[in-house]
Amino acid sequence: MKLTKKGHACVRLERDGQVLVIDPGAFTEADAAVGADAILVTHEHLDHFDEGRLRAAMEANPAAEIWTLAGVAERISAAFPGRVHTVGHGDAFTAAGFDIEVHGELHAVIHPDIPRITNVGYVVDGSVFHPGDALTVPDRPVETLLLPVQAPWSKLSEVVDYIREVRPRRAYDIHDALLTDIAHQVYGRMLGPEGPGIAGAEHTRLAPGDSVTL
């Protein structure tokens, strides 16, 4: 499986000629989802769900489909009848040849005065986990954790403890569009050998456009 980091929380997964894109939001490239055979969206916040980017992908590929939670599906399904599927915690399905499991139910707490919305994470092929905007621990081991490294709802100690609890073989940063180059260096040190320790996981930052083979 080839993993390509796109802007912010978006990633592109490719295998056997099929393309799966997760969370093509407003902080990623305008064409981030174009060419996708399947798209997964974790929740409705604009940095994860951008209707224009979804429409571009769905129009570019008439066979493309979207899997997401009800709050997003109800905003896009009328434009693409039969091609938008609603999922929730505990569901499992196949999308573009990838086996997907849904884990998680709620967005992380931003502030107690802000109501929490639904957020789901996706385990892809039993090995890659994208949690969306939550520090959800899937009830199964995963080799690769897509790590929300910075957000208005998190702090570094929580990020460290999250990796320790999930115990992936490797962690790649996502949710990083608000970080400066200096901040990336600071986070990299804290999540590397100079930091408090992340249970032996290999932590790597991919710049948008960088790819790795898993």
Side-chain angles (χ1 to χ4, degrees), residues 37-60:
D37 299 288
I39 303 168
L40 310 180
V41 180
T42 62
H43 66 288
E44 64 198 64
H45 285 162
L46 62 83
D47 56 326
H48 297 255
F49 162 61
D50 180 83
E51 187 171 340
R53 285 162 173 75
L54 293 183
R55 286 180 177 271
M58 298 291 274
E59 291 166 359

Side-chain angles (χ1 to χ4, degrees), residues 72-85:
V72 172
E74 65 189 16
R75 295 167 61 176
I76 194 80
S77 59
F80 302 100
R83 299 170 63 191
V84 180
H85 312 281

Side-chain angles (χ1 to χ4, degrees), residues 108-168:
V109 175
I110 302 171
H111 186 277
D113 291 349
I114 299 176
R116 296 175 75 182
I117 61 171
T118 304
N119 174 93
V120 295
Y122 300 104
V123 172
V124 181
D125 280 353
S127 63
V128 178
F129 183 50
H130 190 307
D133 269 11
L135 300 181
T136 301
V137 178
D139 57 4
R140 58 163 302 143
V142 292
E143 288 194 355
T144 302
L145 175 64
L146 301 177
L147 178 68
V149 71
Q150 190 277 335
W153 44 266
S154 73
K155 59 185 179 181
L156 181 61
S157 64
E158 296 171 334
V159 174
V160 170
D161 288 344
Y162 182 50
I163 302 177
R164 289 176 176 179
E165 190 169 3
V166 177
R167 301 187 69 84

Side-chain angles (χ1 to χ4, degrees), residues 2 14 28-30 34 38 53 74 77 87 91 101 119 126-127 131 140 156 162 167 174 176 183 197 201 206 209 213:
K2 178 182 178 182
E14 300 174 60
T28 193
E29 300 83 353
V34 173
R53 285 162 173 75
E74 65 189 16
S77 59
V87 297
D91 288 342
E101 298 173 5
N119 174 93
S127 63
R140 58 163 302 143
L156 181 61
Y162 182 50
R167 301 187 69 84
I174 59 169
D176 56 359
L206 301 175
T213 299

